[in-house]
PDB file of all heavy atoms in Angstrom:
ATOM      1  N   GLU O   1      19.556 -66.551 -13.721  1.00  0.00           N
ATOM      2  CA  GLU O   1      18.403 -67.126 -14.396  1.00  0.00           C
ATOM      3  C   GLU O   1      17.063 -66.753 -13.747  1.00  0.00           C
ATOM      4  O   GLU O   1      16.007 -67.232 -14.154  1.00  0.00           O
ATOM      5  CB  GLU O   1      18.553 -68.650 -14.472  1.00  0.00           C
ATOM      6  CG  GLU O   1      19.708 -69.054 -15.343  1.00  0.00           C
ATOM      7  CD  GLU O   1      19.902 -70.561 -15.414  1.00  0.00           C
ATOM      8  OE1 GLU O   1      19.093 -71.315 -14.825  1.00  0.00           O
ATOM      9  OE2 GLU O   1      20.868 -70.982 -16.062  1.00  0.00           O
ATOM     10  N   MET O   2      17.096 -65.876 -12.736  1.00  0.00           N
ATOM     11  CA  MET O   2      15.876 -65.454 -12.055  1.00  0.00           C
ATOM     12  C   MET O   2      14.969 -64.712 -13.035  1.00  0.00           C
ATOM     13  O   MET O   2      15.443 -63.828 -13.754  1.00  0.00           O
ATOM     14  CB  MET O   2      16.198 -64.534 -10.875  1.00  0.00           C
ATOM     15  CG  MET O   2      14.966 -64.077 -10.121  1.00  0.00           C
ATOM     16  SD  MET O   2      15.350 -62.902  -8.818  1.00  0.00           S
ATOM     17  CE  MET O   2      16.487 -63.801  -7.845  1.00  0.00           C
ATOM     18  N   PRO O   3      13.694 -65.088 -13.082  1.00  0.00           N
ATOM     19  CA  PRO O   3      12.764 -64.365 -13.983  1.00  0.00           C
ATOM     20  C   PRO O   3      12.689 -62.875 -13.624  1.00  0.00           C
ATOM     21  O   PRO O   3      12.665 -62.502 -12.457  1.00  0.00           O
ATOM     22  CB  PRO O   3      11.424 -65.041 -13.710  1.00  0.00           C
ATOM     23  CG  PRO O   3      11.782 -66.382 -13.167  1.00  0.00           C
ATOM     24  CD  PRO O   3      13.056 -66.183 -12.394  1.00  0.00           C
ATOM     25  N   GLN O   4      12.693 -62.041 -14.636  1.00  0.00           N
ATOM     26  CA  GLN O   4      12.689 -60.605 -14.433  1.00  0.00           C
ATOM     27  C   GLN O   4      11.388 -60.087 -13.829  1.00  0.00           C
ATOM     28  O   GLN O   4      11.338 -58.963 -13.332  1.00  0.00           O
ATOM     29  CB  GLN O   4      13.008 -59.872 -15.721  1.00  0.00           C
ATOM     30  CG  GLN O   4      14.417 -60.136 -16.173  1.00  0.00           C
ATOM     31  CD  GLN O   4      14.763 -59.372 -17.432  1.00  0.00           C
ATOM     32  OE1 GLN O   4      14.020 -58.518 -17.905  1.00  0.00           O
ATOM     33  NE2 GLN O   4      15.919 -59.681 -18.002  1.00  0.00           N
ATOM     34  N   ASP O   5      10.334 -60.886 -13.874  1.00  0.00           N
ATOM     35  CA  ASP O   5       9.061 -60.422 -13.316  1.00  0.00           C
ATOM     36  C   ASP O   5       8.932 -60.729 -11.815  1.00  0.00           C
ATOM     37  O   ASP O   5       7.930 -60.372 -11.209  1.00  0.00           O
ATOM     38  CB  ASP O   5       7.867 -61.002 -14.085  1.00  0.00           C
ATOM     39  CG  ASP O   5       7.804 -62.507 -14.043  1.00  0.00           C
ATOM     40  OD1 ASP O   5       8.793 -63.161 -13.670  1.00  0.00           O
ATOM     41  OD2 ASP O   5       6.731 -63.056 -14.385  1.00  0.00           O
ATOM     42  N   PHE O   6       9.938 -61.350 -11.216  1.00  0.00           N
ATOM     43  CA  PHE O   6       9.924 -61.563  -9.749  1.00  0.00           C
ATOM     44  C   PHE O   6      10.005 -60.213  -9.062  1.00  0.00           C
ATOM     45  O   PHE O   6      10.743 -59.323  -9.475  1.00  0.00           O
ATOM     46  CB  PHE O   6      11.119 -62.410  -9.311  1.00  0.00           C
ATOM     47  CG  PHE O   6      10.890 -63.896  -9.408  1.00  0.00           C
ATOM     48  CD1 PHE O   6       9.948 -64.455 -10.243  1.00  0.00           C
ATOM     49  CD2 PHE O   6      11.658 -64.752  -8.644  1.00  0.00           C
ATOM     50  CE1 PHE O   6       9.766 -65.808 -10.331  1.00  0.00           C
ATOM     51  CE2 PHE O   6      11.470 -66.125  -8.704  1.00  0.00           C
ATOM     52  CZ  PHE O   6      10.524 -66.644  -9.562  1.00  0.00           C
ATOM     53  N   LEU O   7       9.245 -60.051  -8.037  1.00  0.00           N
ATOM     54  CA  LEU O   7       9.176 -58.798  -7.299  1.00  0.00           C
ATOM     55  C   LEU O   7      10.552 -58.373  -6.785  1.00  0.00           C
ATOM     56  O   LEU O   7      10.885 -57.202  -6.769  1.00  0.00           O
ATOM     57  CB  LEU O   7       8.195 -58.923  -6.138  1.00  0.00           C
ATOM     58  CG  LEU O   7       7.885 -57.682  -5.348  1.00  0.00           C
ATOM     59  CD1 LEU O   7       7.266 -56.618  -6.235  1.00  0.00           C
ATOM     60  CD2 LEU O   7       6.918 -58.010  -4.204  1.00  0.00           C
ATOM     61  N   THR O   8      11.360 -59.340  -6.380  1.00  0.00           N
ATOM     62  CA  THR O   8      12.683 -59.021  -5.812  1.00  0.00           C
ATOM     63  C   THR O   8      13.788 -58.904  -6.857  1.00  0.00           C
ATOM     64  O   THR O   8      14.926 -58.618  -6.507  1.00  0.00           O
ATOM     65  CB  THR O   8      13.078 -60.101  -4.792  1.00  0.00           C
ATOM     66  OG1 THR O   8      13.102 -61.380  -5.438  1.00  0.00           O
ATOM     67  CG2 THR O   8      12.125 -60.126  -3.614  1.00  0.00           C
ATOM     68  N   TYR O   9      13.472 -59.079  -8.114  1.00  0.00           N
ATOM     69  CA  TYR O   9      14.493 -59.057  -9.156  1.00  0.00           C
ATOM     70  C   TYR O   9      15.335 -57.773  -9.150  1.00  0.00           C
ATOM     71  O   TYR O   9      16.575 -57.862  -9.168  1.00  0.00           O
ATOM     72  CB  TYR O   9      13.877 -59.267 -10.547  1.00  0.00           C
ATOM     73  CG  TYR O   9      14.888 -59.257 -11.655  1.00  0.00           C
ATOM     74  CD1 TYR O   9      15.660 -60.382 -11.930  1.00  0.00           C
ATOM     75  CD2 TYR O   9      15.112 -58.113 -12.428  1.00  0.00           C
ATOM     76  CE1 TYR O   9      16.605 -60.373 -12.943  1.00  0.00           C
ATOM     77  CE2 TYR O   9      16.040 -58.095 -13.436  1.00  0.00           C
ATOM     78  CZ  TYR O   9      16.787 -59.220 -13.680  1.00  0.00           C
ATOM     79  OH  TYR O   9      17.733 -59.212 -14.692  1.00  0.00           O
ATOM     80  N   PRO O  10      14.725 -56.592  -9.100  1.00  0.00           N
ATOM     81  CA  PRO O  10      15.562 -55.373  -9.101  1.00  0.00           C
ATOM     82  C   PRO O  10      16.542 -55.314  -7.908  1.00  0.00           C
ATOM     83  O   PRO O  10      17.682 -54.897  -8.071  1.00  0.00           O
ATOM     84  CB  PRO O  10      14.538 -54.229  -9.013  1.00  0.00           C
ATOM     85  CG  PRO O  10      13.263 -54.810  -9.512  1.00  0.00           C
ATOM     86  CD  PRO O  10      13.305 -56.258  -9.097  1.00  0.00           C
ATOM     87  N   TYR O  11      16.088 -55.752  -6.735  1.00  0.00           N
ATOM     88  CA  TYR O  11      16.960 -55.759  -5.581  1.00  0.00           C
ATOM     89  C   TYR O  11      18.108 -56.754  -5.775  1.00  0.00           C
ATOM     90  O   TYR O  11      19.259 -56.453  -5.510  1.00  0.00           O
ATOM     91  CB  TYR O  11      16.177 -56.104  -4.296  1.00  0.00           C
ATOM     92  CG  TYR O  11      17.091 -56.231  -3.107  1.00  0.00           C
ATOM     93  CD1 TYR O  11      17.518 -55.124  -2.417  1.00  0.00           C
ATOM     94  CD2 TYR O  11      17.548 -57.491  -2.698  1.00  0.00           C
ATOM     95  CE1 TYR O  11      18.383 -55.225  -1.346  1.00  0.00           C
ATOM     96  CE2 TYR O  11      18.408 -57.602  -1.620  1.00  0.00           C
ATOM     97  CZ  TYR O  11      18.825 -56.476  -0.930  1.00  0.00           C
ATOM     98  OH  TYR O  11      19.672 -56.583   0.104  1.00  0.00           O
ATOM     99  N   MET O  12      17.751 -57.943  -6.199  1.00  0.00           N
ATOM    100  CA  MET O  12      18.763 -58.984  -6.406  1.00  0.00           C
ATOM    101  C   MET O  12      19.801 -58.558  -7.434  1.00  0.00           C
ATOM    102  O   MET O  12      20.989 -58.756  -7.241  1.00  0.00           O
ATOM    103  CB  MET O  12      18.114 -60.293  -6.853  1.00  0.00           C
ATOM    104  CG  MET O  12      17.155 -60.876  -5.858  1.00  0.00           C
ATOM    105  SD  MET O  12      17.995 -61.488  -4.404  1.00  0.00           S
ATOM    106  CE  MET O  12      16.684 -62.406  -3.659  1.00  0.00           C
ATOM    107  N   LEU O  13      19.352 -57.965  -8.512  1.00  0.00           N
ATOM    108  CA  LEU O  13      20.270 -57.547  -9.557  1.00  0.00           C
ATOM    109  C   LEU O  13      21.167 -56.403  -9.049  1.00  0.00           C
ATOM    110  O   LEU O  13      22.374 -56.422  -9.275  1.00  0.00           O
ATOM    111  CB  LEU O  13      19.474 -57.093 -10.796  1.00  0.00           C
ATOM    112  CG  LEU O  13      20.303 -56.672 -11.993  1.00  0.00           C
ATOM    113  CD1 LEU O  13      21.097 -57.868 -12.531  1.00  0.00           C
ATOM    114  CD2 LEU O  13      19.408 -56.108 -13.078  1.00  0.00           C
ATOM    115  N   GLY O  14      20.583 -55.444  -8.352  1.00  0.00           N
ATOM    116  CA  GLY O  14      21.326 -54.300  -7.865  1.00  0.00           C
ATOM    117  C   GLY O  14      22.306 -54.634  -6.743  1.00  0.00           C
ATOM    118  O   GLY O  14      23.248 -53.889  -6.498  1.00  0.00           O
ATOM    119  N   ASN O  15      22.053 -55.722  -6.054  1.00  0.00           N
ATOM    120  CA  ASN O  15      22.893 -56.125  -4.918  1.00  0.00           C
ATOM    121  C   ASN O  15      23.429 -57.541  -5.076  1.00  0.00           C
ATOM    122  O   ASN O  15      23.564 -58.280  -4.112  1.00  0.00           O
ATOM    123  CB  ASN O  15      22.065 -56.030  -3.620  1.00  0.00           C
ATOM    124  CG  ASN O  15      21.574 -54.632  -3.349  1.00  0.00           C
ATOM    125  OD1 ASN O  15      22.350 -53.769  -3.000  1.00  0.00           O
ATOM    126  ND2 ASN O  15      20.305 -54.410  -3.575  1.00  0.00           N
ATOM    127  N   LYS O  16      23.719 -57.905  -6.307  1.00  0.00           N
ATOM    128  CA  LYS O  16      24.085 -59.282  -6.632  1.00  0.00           C
ATOM    129  C   LYS O  16      25.248 -59.808  -5.795  1.00  0.00           C
ATOM    130  O   LYS O  16      25.187 -60.892  -5.277  1.00  0.00           O
ATOM    131  CB  LYS O  16      24.401 -59.398  -8.118  1.00  0.00           C
ATOM    132  CG  LYS O  16      24.641 -60.809  -8.577  1.00  0.00           C
ATOM    133  CD  LYS O  16      24.829 -60.888 -10.070  1.00  0.00           C
ATOM    134  CE  LYS O  16      25.061 -62.293 -10.518  1.00  0.00           C
ATOM    135  NZ  LYS O  16      25.210 -62.397 -11.967  1.00  0.00           N
ATOM    136  N   ALA O  17      26.290 -59.027  -5.641  1.00  0.00           N
ATOM    137  CA  ALA O  17      27.467 -59.491  -4.877  1.00  0.00           C
ATOM    138  C   ALA O  17      27.100 -59.762  -3.419  1.00  0.00           C
ATOM    139  O   ALA O  17      27.495 -60.783  -2.857  1.00  0.00           O
ATOM    140  CB  ALA O  17      28.593 -58.481  -4.967  1.00  0.00           C
ATOM    141  N   GLU O  18      26.331 -58.869  -2.827  1.00  0.00           N
ATOM    142  CA  GLU O  18      25.924 -59.052  -1.447  1.00  0.00           C
ATOM    143  C   GLU O  18      24.981 -60.244  -1.286  1.00  0.00           C
ATOM    144  O   GLU O  18      25.119 -61.042  -0.357  1.00  0.00           O
ATOM    145  CB  GLU O  18      25.227 -57.786  -0.928  1.00  0.00           C
ATOM    146  CG  GLU O  18      24.844 -57.876   0.531  1.00  0.00           C
ATOM    147  CD  GLU O  18      24.171 -56.596   1.053  1.00  0.00           C
ATOM    148  OE1 GLU O  18      24.034 -55.634   0.290  1.00  0.00           O
ATOM    149  OE2 GLU O  18      23.767 -56.615   2.205  1.00  0.00           O
ATOM    150  N   VAL O  19      24.034 -60.358  -2.181  1.00  0.00           N
ATOM    151  CA  VAL O  19      23.090 -61.483  -2.141  1.00  0.00           C
ATOM    152  C   VAL O  19      23.841 -62.808  -2.303  1.00  0.00           C
ATOM    153  O   VAL O  19      23.610 -63.757  -1.565  1.00  0.00           O
ATOM    154  CB  VAL O  19      22.001 -61.325  -3.219  1.00  0.00           C
ATOM    155  CG1 VAL O  19      21.180 -62.591  -3.360  1.00  0.00           C
ATOM    156  CG2 VAL O  19      21.131 -60.129  -2.932  1.00  0.00           C
ATOM    157  N   LYS O  20      24.766 -62.840  -3.226  1.00  0.00           N
ATOM    158  CA  LYS O  20      25.569 -64.033  -3.453  1.00  0.00           C
ATOM    159  C   LYS O  20      26.353 -64.412  -2.212  1.00  0.00           C
ATOM    160  O   LYS O  20      26.376 -65.556  -1.786  1.00  0.00           O
ATOM    161  CB  LYS O  20      26.507 -63.784  -4.643  1.00  0.00           C
ATOM    162  CG  LYS O  20      27.300 -64.969  -5.074  1.00  0.00           C
ATOM    163  CD  LYS O  20      28.116 -64.604  -6.319  1.00  0.00           C
ATOM    164  CE  LYS O  20      29.042 -65.688  -6.705  1.00  0.00           C
ATOM    165  NZ  LYS O  20      29.833 -65.347  -7.890  1.00  0.00           N
ATOM    166  N   ASN O  21      26.980 -63.407  -1.596  1.00  0.00           N
ATOM    167  CA  ASN O  21      27.781 -63.669  -0.380  1.00  0.00           C
ATOM    168  C   ASN O  21      26.874 -64.162   0.746  1.00  0.00           C
ATOM    169  O   ASN O  21      27.260 -65.084   1.487  1.00  0.00           O
ATOM    170  CB  ASN O  21      28.509 -62.393   0.046  1.00  0.00           C
ATOM    171  CG  ASN O  21      29.443 -62.627   1.181  1.00  0.00           C
ATOM    172  OD1 ASN O  21      30.149 -63.631   1.215  1.00  0.00           O
ATOM    173  ND2 ASN O  21      29.463 -61.739   2.145  1.00  0.00           N
ATOM    174  N   MET O  22      25.694 -63.586   0.891  1.00  0.00           N
ATOM    175  CA  MET O  22      24.780 -64.024   1.934  1.00  0.00           C
ATOM    176  C   MET O  22      24.350 -65.477   1.731  1.00  0.00           C
ATOM    177  O   MET O  22      24.313 -66.269   2.677  1.00  0.00           O
ATOM    178  CB  MET O  22      23.517 -63.135   1.967  1.00  0.00           C
ATOM    179  CG  MET O  22      23.744 -61.809   2.613  1.00  0.00           C
ATOM    180  SD  MET O  22      22.325 -60.673   2.575  1.00  0.00           S
ATOM    181  CE  MET O  22      20.928 -61.716   2.682  1.00  0.00           C
ATOM    182  N   CYS O  23      24.071 -65.847   0.502  1.00  0.00           N
ATOM    183  CA  CYS O  23      23.657 -67.220   0.212  1.00  0.00           C
ATOM    184  C   CYS O  23      24.783 -68.211   0.531  1.00  0.00           C
ATOM    185  O   CYS O  23      24.549 -69.271   1.127  1.00  0.00           O
ATOM    186  CB  CYS O  23      23.266 -67.367  -1.260  1.00  0.00           C
ATOM    187  SG  CYS O  23      21.731 -66.547  -1.680  1.00  0.00           S
ATOM    188  N   ILE O  24      25.992 -67.882   0.161  1.00  0.00           N
ATOM    189  CA  ILE O  24      27.134 -68.760   0.423  1.00  0.00           C
ATOM    190  C   ILE O  24      27.402 -68.835   1.912  1.00  0.00           C
ATOM    191  O   ILE O  24      27.665 -69.911   2.445  1.00  0.00           O
ATOM    192  CB  ILE O  24      28.359 -68.279  -0.376  1.00  0.00           C
ATOM    193  CG1 ILE O  24      28.099 -68.469  -1.860  1.00  0.00           C
ATOM    194  CG2 ILE O  24      29.614 -69.006   0.068  1.00  0.00           C
ATOM    195  CD1 ILE O  24      29.096 -67.774  -2.761  1.00  0.00           C
ATOM    196  N   THR O  25      27.332 -67.721   2.620  1.00  0.00           N
ATOM    197  CA  THR O  25      27.565 -67.674   4.065  1.00  0.00           C
ATOM    198  C   THR O  25      26.522 -68.525   4.798  1.00  0.00           C
ATOM    199  O   THR O  25      26.834 -69.270   5.691  1.00  0.00           O
ATOM    200  CB  THR O  25      27.548 -66.237   4.587  1.00  0.00           C
ATOM    201  OG1 THR O  25      28.574 -65.523   3.911  1.00  0.00           O
ATOM    202  CG2 THR O  25      27.832 -66.200   6.078  1.00  0.00           C
ATOM    203  N   GLU O  26      25.280 -68.382   4.412  1.00  0.00           N
ATOM    204  CA  GLU O  26      24.203 -69.147   5.064  1.00  0.00           C
ATOM    205  C   GLU O  26      24.448 -70.638   4.853  1.00  0.00           C
ATOM    206  O   GLU O  26      24.270 -71.427   5.751  1.00  0.00           O
ATOM    207  CB  GLU O  26      22.833 -68.762   4.511  1.00  0.00           C
ATOM    208  CG  GLU O  26      22.378 -67.399   4.937  1.00  0.00           C
ATOM    209  CD  GLU O  26      22.178 -67.289   6.440  1.00  0.00           C
ATOM    210  OE1 GLU O  26      21.638 -68.230   7.051  1.00  0.00           O
ATOM    211  OE2 GLU O  26      22.537 -66.247   6.991  1.00  0.00           O
ATOM    212  N   TYR O  27      24.823 -71.014   3.675  1.00  0.00           N
ATOM    213  CA  TYR O  27      25.104 -72.431   3.390  1.00  0.00           C
ATOM    214  C   TYR O  27      26.229 -72.930   4.296  1.00  0.00           C
ATOM    215  O   TYR O  27      26.099 -73.958   4.914  1.00  0.00           O
ATOM    216  CB  TYR O  27      25.494 -72.595   1.928  1.00  0.00           C
ATOM    217  CG  TYR O  27      25.937 -73.991   1.594  1.00  0.00           C
ATOM    218  CD1 TYR O  27      25.007 -75.000   1.360  1.00  0.00           C
ATOM    219  CD2 TYR O  27      27.276 -74.293   1.532  1.00  0.00           C
ATOM    220  CE1 TYR O  27      25.413 -76.275   1.079  1.00  0.00           C
ATOM    221  CE2 TYR O  27      27.696 -75.585   1.236  1.00  0.00           C
ATOM    222  CZ  TYR O  27      26.763 -76.561   0.999  1.00  0.00           C
ATOM    223  OH  TYR O  27      27.165 -77.814   0.724  1.00  0.00           O
ATOM    224  N   ASN O  28      27.299 -72.213   4.379  1.00  0.00           N
ATOM    225  CA  ASN O  28      28.416 -72.619   5.213  1.00  0.00           C
ATOM    226  C   ASN O  28      28.057 -72.616   6.693  1.00  0.00           C
ATOM    227  O   ASN O  28      28.543 -73.448   7.445  1.00  0.00           O
ATOM    228  CB  ASN O  28      29.614 -71.701   4.975  1.00  0.00           C
ATOM    229  CG  ASN O  28      30.230 -71.909   3.610  1.00  0.00           C
ATOM    230  OD1 ASN O  28      30.026 -72.946   3.004  1.00  0.00           O
ATOM    231  ND2 ASN O  28      30.969 -70.940   3.128  1.00  0.00           N
ATOM    232  N   GLU O  29      27.202 -71.699   7.093  1.00  0.00           N
ATOM    233  CA  GLU O  29      26.785 -71.644   8.489  1.00  0.00           C
ATOM    234  C   GLU O  29      26.032 -72.925   8.868  1.00  0.00           C
ATOM    235  O   GLU O  29      26.269 -73.497   9.925  1.00  0.00           O
ATOM    236  CB  GLU O  29      25.923 -70.429   8.747  1.00  0.00           C
ATOM    237  CG  GLU O  29      25.490 -70.316  10.197  1.00  0.00           C
ATOM    238  CD  GLU O  29      24.651 -69.079  10.476  1.00  0.00           C
ATOM    239  OE1 GLU O  29      24.587 -68.195   9.630  1.00  0.00           O
ATOM    240  OE2 GLU O  29      24.040 -69.036  11.545  1.00  0.00           O
ATOM    241  N   ALA O  30      25.160 -73.367   8.022  1.00  0.00           N
ATOM    242  CA  ALA O  30      24.399 -74.587   8.287  1.00  0.00           C
ATOM    243  C   ALA O  30      25.338 -75.785   8.429  1.00  0.00           C
ATOM    244  O   ALA O  30      25.172 -76.613   9.318  1.00  0.00           O
ATOM    245  CB  ALA O  30      23.365 -74.820   7.189  1.00  0.00           C
ATOM    246  N   GLU O  31      26.305 -75.864   7.545  1.00  0.00           N
ATOM    247  CA  GLU O  31      27.277 -76.967   7.588  1.00  0.00           C
ATOM    248  C   GLU O  31      28.100 -76.893   8.875  1.00  0.00           C
ATOM    249  O   GLU O  31      28.336 -77.920   9.536  1.00  0.00           O
ATOM    250  CB  GLU O  31      28.184 -76.870   6.366  1.00  0.00           C
ATOM    251  CG  GLU O  31      29.158 -77.999   6.228  1.00  0.00           C
ATOM    252  CD  GLU O  31      29.971 -77.867   4.965  1.00  0.00           C
ATOM    253  OE1 GLU O  31      30.992 -77.130   5.011  1.00  0.00           O
ATOM    254  OE2 GLU O  31      29.588 -78.466   3.960  1.00  0.00           O
TER     255      GLU O  31
END
């Protein structure tokens, strides 16, 4: 649901699996 006009949108879209994994890992690390 990220707006396509966000500066980081192309990176996020192109690296979605890695970005997703990083977000989940960071969450678990904090816990």
Side-chain angles (χ1 to χ4, degrees):
E1 294 179 4
M2 181 185 302
Q4 292 182 9
D5 62 344
F6 274 23
L7 187 61
T8 58
Y9 181 81
Y11 175 81
M12 298 290 192
L13 183 64
N15 299 288
K16 186 175 180 178
E18 183 179 357
V19 170
K20 185 176 173 181
N21 187 42
M22 283 176 33
C23 290
I24 293 168
T25 301
E26 289 296 319
Y27 174 80
N28 290 340
E29 181 179 347
E31 184 177 84

